[in-house]
Amino acid sequence: MSTHTSVHYQGFHPASAPDFAPVPQMRKLQLDRLNYVVTRAYENVSLFQARLNSRALRPDDIRMLEDIRKLPFTTKADLRDTYPFGLFASKMPEVVRLHASSGTTGKPIVVAYTSEDVGVWTNAMVRCFASCGVNQGDVVQNAYGYGLFTGGLGAHYGAEAIGATVIPISGGNTDRQIMVMKDFCVTAICCTPSYFVHLLERAMELDVDVHSLPLRVGIFGAEPWSESMRRFIESHSSIRAYDIYGLSEIVGPGVGIECSHQNGLHILEDHFYPEIINPETGEPLEEGMEGELVLTTLSKHAMPMIRYRTRDITSLIPEPCPCGRTLRRIRRIARRSDDMIIIRGVNVFASQIEAALLAVEGTLPHYQIILTRSKGLDEMEIQVEVTPDVFSDKIGSMEALNRNLVYALEQALGLRVAIRLVEPRAIQRSEGKAKRVIDRRNMDQ
Ligand SMILES: [Zn+2]
């Protein structure tokens, strides 16, 4: 029997000092860095230079942080249009790493890092791990995919730099994941929340009691997830489940992280400057108002992103956090503006559906939304897995559950949708991001 004498240094990690910096000092640092990054982009990225010139703007017109609003937005289309290297501000010999997003249509988007950029990213991830109470002495199972996707290497470098023992297991091979989790005395795991639910399920089948393992922290990201999902995970595993935020275009994971209060994600705003805008008009919104998150990288060299439109919908939380971090917080990303399903004129998000489903006893966090069109009308069917108890029970309880779900969804969405209860494991499991929506509306016409 091996021992897991982990040493957990509570609280402060030296790399986390900027998390607690006085606000005026942070704003001054941000302005200095903004000036630097705008000048760098202007001098090295022709698209950015042309856009500033067309507005008769010069980098030295940025005299205070609010002047950022004068600058043009950058969008995902800009990355596609300049594929592969058109937005790089560094020459290739300075670029030490490329990552790419798995584009669903056409070409991926490519992102670049100098060695300094990798250092910034690593530092950001160290602060994220520290914020979740992970430190030297922890054993981190990194089940994010290694490869062009930023999740694997981002978490890897951060976990190693904080001094934890990293297991670079990557995604997939669920039975081996469970064996490693148990035999290597894993204390922290990084993966998508949906994959962790799958791991829990498989562990149960293999008679591994996750509650009795030393595992105590999960750092989950790369897909939106709800508070109901967090409650499900925490009650089925005795871990604390933390939300991490990031996107390849900005750096990868490590843009924002929850703290022990699990109430909003602190943005590492000495590196990533947040704004919230009205997604329709592009106008900045006041703190507390919900809109699209726009991020500017303040310290990146190879690929500065100025006012990048993330399409993630959230708001900045006006109140300071009891943890003492002065970094501003965003509310958990409930939805992405391009993940919106418009059905019969009503806007619906998968996360709304997830929250409504999981609030009803007897369902599992596995569901799929199937969109079809019949006689010109959109139809939505939600397939939901039920617990083995409900499934093996009398037909009566399935019918009652179906009724409850239809009612819960109608309350949440303002829309009556069809529910189909399916047996446990009927919905295909994903090793990375779960596929929640299947849109067959254009196929069925
Ligand atoms: Zn906090």
Side-chain angles (χ1 to χ4, degrees), residues 348-365:
V348 172
F349 292 91
S351 54
Q352 279 177 293
I353 294 175
E354 177 180 296
L357 292 177
L358 288 183
V360 177
E361 187 79 22
T363 57
L364 291 169

Side-chain angles (χ1 to χ4, degrees), residues 63-360:
R63 297 195 187 91
M64 48 188 181
L65 275 172
E66 288 67 32
D67 290 336
I68 196 171
R69 296 171 178 183
K70 298 176 181 168
L71 297 171
F73 293 116
T74 309
T75 65
K76 194 161 200 157
D78 294 330
L79 284 152
R80 292 215 181 95
D81 295 347
T82 57
Y83 173 88
F85 305 150
L87 293 187
F88 290 10
S90 295
K91 302 227 176 340
M92 254 350 222
E94 275 97 59
V95 172
V96 299
R97 177 100 64 84
L98 297 176
H99 279 283
S101 79
S102 50
T104 42
T105 50
K107 303 276 193 191
I109 57 149
V110 182
V111 293
Y113 304 78
T114 64
S115 59
E116 286 161 296
D117 294 336
V118 172
V120 164
W121 189 12
T122 302
N123 169 275
M125 281 305 297
V126 163
R127 290 158 62 186
C128 288
F129 279 114
S131 180
C132 303
V134 172
N135 212 321
Q136 187 173 17
D138 272 300
V139 179
V140 177
Q141 180 164 352
N142 186 12
Y144 280 124
Y146 281 66
L148 286 176
F149 171 57
T150 48
L153 284 174
H156 183 105
Y157 272 54
E160 213 169 71
I162 208 167
T165 307
V166 188
I167 306 168
I169 193 164
S170 196
N173 201 338
T174 305
D175 287 8
R176 189 179 59 179
Q177 299 267 1
I178 291 159
M179 180 190 76
V180 161
M181 187 188 289
K182 184 166 159 263
D183 295 349
F184 296 5
C185 300
V186 167
T187 59
I189 186 164
C190 305
C191 58
T192 59
S194 57
Y195 188 57
F196 187 69
V197 170
H198 179 42
L199 282 175
L200 288 178
E201 230 168 31
R202 185 68 189 136
M204 224 180 294
E205 286 171 2
L206 297 171
D207 273 331
V208 174
D209 177 15
V210 178
H211 292 278
S212 68
L213 301 180
L215 184 69
R216 59 184 181 81
V217 175
I219 300 177
F220 302 124
E223 63 186 13
W225 52 303
S226 60
E227 280 301 312
S228 318
M229 182 74 123
R230 174 168 16 226
R231 282 193 293 276
F232 180 93
I233 289 173
E234 291 190 339
S235 64
H236 285 77
S237 63
S238 320
I239 69 164
R240 293 201 77 185
Y242 293 96
D243 193 5
I244 185 167
Y245 177 69
L247 61 169
S248 303
E249 298 93 313
I250 298 302
V251 79
V255 175
I257 187 73
E258 286 184 330
C259 61
S260 59
H261 294 270
Q262 294 176 310
N263 182 20
L265 292 88
H266 291 283
I267 296 288
L268 276 63
E269 53 174 331
D270 46 328
H271 297 311
F272 316 109
Y273 186 80
E275 297 171 84
I276 302 288
I277 62 160
N278 177 327
E280 312 292 331
T281 63
E283 285 304 308
L285 294 175
E286 279 177 47
E287 246 179 25
M289 287 179 73
E290 190 180 83
E292 180 180 343
L293 178 65
V294 169
L295 290 166
T296 297
T297 61
L298 296 177
S299 353
K300 269 180 76 184
H301 293 80
M303 212 170 112
M305 279 285 126
I306 313 282
R307 302 195 85 199
Y308 183 72
R309 293 190 59 160
T310 65
R311 295 170 302 160
D312 289 324
I313 304 294
T314 182
S315 57
L316 284 166
I317 300 175
E319 298 81 32
C321 184
C323 77
R325 283 180 178 75
T326 50
L327 301 173
R328 282 177 289 177
R329 285 173 296 164
I330 54 167
R331 292 189 202 286
R332 301 182 68 191
I333 307 290
R335 50 194 204 261
R336 309 206 59 194
S337 54
D338 54 353
D339 281 349
M340 190 170 72
I341 305 162
I342 301 176
I343 179 140
R344 288 176 243 152
V346 180
N347 300 345
V348 172
F349 292 91
S351 54
Q352 279 177 293
I353 294 175
E354 177 180 296
L357 292 177
L358 288 183
V360 177

Side-chain angles (χ1 to χ4, degrees), residues 42-53:
Y42 185 79
E43 287 170 357
N44 297 286
V45 182
S46 56
L47 178 77
F48 186 68
Q49 190 181 76
R51 283 185 179 164
L52 253 56
N53 288 344

